Amino acid sequence: MSLLDHAADTMPSIKTLLDQFRLKEVINEDISSKTVWLLGTVGNTTDLVPGVNAAVVTLERLAFDTQTISNHALPGSDASLLGSLALGSEEQNDVYSWAAGYINSRMFGPDIRVSLIYPATQKHIAKHQRQHRRWITETPRLYSLVTKPFIDAQPASRIQWVYNILSKKVEADRIVYEDPDPESGFIILPDLKWDASNAASMYLVAIVHRQGLKSLRDLTDSHLPLLKNIRNKANVAAEKYGVPHNKLRLYIHYQPSYYHLHVHITNVDLEGRGIAADRAHLLDTVISNIEDIAPDYYQKVTLAYALGSDTELWQHWTAHLDPRSTTESSPETN
């Protein structure tokens, strides 16, 4: 039985859950972001059951706080900034020296971010585990035939956490901007992937209040006021972290990780997180496509993207079409 069954009103703390975490396997790693994903169970049971006792833990090395480092260079500060370094084997070649080691000092504060999904469903596990990717060329016809039925079949419970944020049942203290208008309004808050401390890696997300907008494919000219409102107000939220408007990258994912329209707002200096050309659609371009080319542009355009081979959507595609062909040249039209 899940620990959540014993907590009718309160969620067990992450520390409580991590103390009971039992590792099954390392399911993924990203060397560039220094992140690792762990799959295991919570509780005394040994058999992993998705949706019951399965848990996904993410461990991510945090960036250095450059302001803290700068402060230690001020007069009167600790001059031995690197004095606490414990080094292993050292190498040298001409003017170049290098070594691996660790810092004993706690001056930098936390150096790792831990996040937990529990109980983790099979979809959560598939999203985070290493998997081969497959290319999809989604015409409007194939969207109607394959993708849209899949999206429409998603249970509302999968985005209950989104509604909890919008209704301020949770994370209300993390909201940095809100426009409460039910049609053109939204909430902006730090993405869970960002520790909200380093402006260079700023990652915010704008979640729209309007229900029924599930993805980029739903957008038409009637949504331009909403999209422009997000574009115009994103700088208000970003300025709270010292990031000016000309340092912002705003984009919409397709396919998104959850089917309730949201816009990613990042510092342009942040690389490697969700900005691949096949997935990230710049908000300025989205607005221009609808406003300058066609009001129903995203109902007419072919969209290409990659899917993990273990994702539910890919399984849905292969169940409906020849997996060797996911374009209009599939056997049904030959």
Side-chain angles (χ1 to χ4, degrees), residues 52-85:
V52 179
N53 66 346
V56 174
V57 174
T58 305
L59 302 178
E60 177 187 10
R61 289 284 188 181
L62 297 179
F64 284 107
D65 183 348
T66 54
Q67 186 60 54
T68 297
I69 295 175
S70 298
N71 290 342
H72 276 255
L74 297 174
S77 63
D78 182 6
S80 59
L81 176 64
L82 302 179
S84 64
L85 276 174

Side-chain angles (χ1 to χ4, degrees), residues 256-313:
S257 56
Y258 55 95
Y259 293 106
H260 180 98
L261 188 69
H262 54 286
V263 177
H264 301 263
I265 306 167
T266 68
N267 190 318
V268 294
D269 292 331
L270 179 64
E271 299 291 343
R273 277 188 171 172
I275 58 173
D278 65 301
R279 192 181 184 200
H281 298 257
L282 296 175
L283 183 60
D284 282 331
T285 303
V286 171
I287 291 173
S288 178
N289 287 339
I290 296 173
E291 193 168 44
D292 302 327
I293 299 179
D296 55 351
Y297 178 89
Y298 286 102
Q299 289 76 59
K300 293 181 176 179
V301 71
T302 292
L303 296 174
Y305 51 87
L307 286 177
S309 57
D310 292 331
T311 61
E312 287 183 315
L313 182 53

Side-chain angles (χ1 to χ4, degrees), residues 10 18 47 86 132 272:
T10 60
L18 290 176
D47 294 334
H132 297 292

Side-chain angles (χ1 to χ4, degrees), residues 107-254:
M107 60 166 282
F108 294 108
D111 61 359
I112 194 169
R113 177 179 173 82
V114 183
S115 62
L116 170 72
I117 302 175
Y118 171 77
T121 65
Q122 187 57 48
K123 182 177 181 179
H124 291 133
I125 297 170
K127 176 183 176 181
H128 292 92
Q129 69 185 167
R130 184 185 297 107
Q131 53 187 299
H132 297 292
R133 296 168 69 79
R134 301 290 186 264
W135 193 253
I136 295 288
T137 302
E138 183 188 273
T139 64
R141 176 176 172 275
L142 286 174
Y143 168 73
S144 298
L145 177 68
V146 183
T147 308
K148 189 176 186 300
F150 171 82
I151 295 174
D152 291 342
Q154 299 302 298
S157 59
R158 286 195 172 177
I159 55 171
Q160 183 58 49
W161 64 273
V162 175
Y163 299 142
N164 290 342
I165 292 174
L166 294 174
S167 63
K168 300 186 178 69
K169 290 182 179 180
V170 297
E171 302 189 52
D173 58 329
R174 300 180 67 243
I175 295 172
V176 294
Y177 182 85
E178 180 180 15
D179 181 333
D181 188 278
E183 296 296 316
S184 62
F186 51 90
I187 280 176
I188 298 179
L189 73 167
D191 190 279
L192 289 176
K193 293 184 286 293
W194 182 47
D195 62 4
S197 65
N198 191 317
S201 59
M202 188 200 75
Y203 198 141
L204 308 176
V205 62
I207 304 175
V208 305
H209 280 298
R210 187 168 177 173
Q211 297 189 17
L213 289 178
K214 298 180 179 181
S215 79
L216 185 67
R217 284 287 193 186
D218 294 328
L219 296 176
T220 67
D221 58 339
S222 67
H223 305 115
L224 286 175
L226 167 63
L227 300 177
K228 290 181 178 181
N229 194 24
I230 294 175
R231 182 175 64 181
N232 294 338
K233 301 296 174 55
N235 64 298
V236 177
E239 285 173 356
K240 294 181 182 294
Y241 303 100
V243 180
H245 70 90
N246 60 358
K247 295 280 288 182
L248 298 183
R249 178 195 289 119
L250 282 72
Y251 54 94
I252 298 172
H253 278 156
Y254 190 81

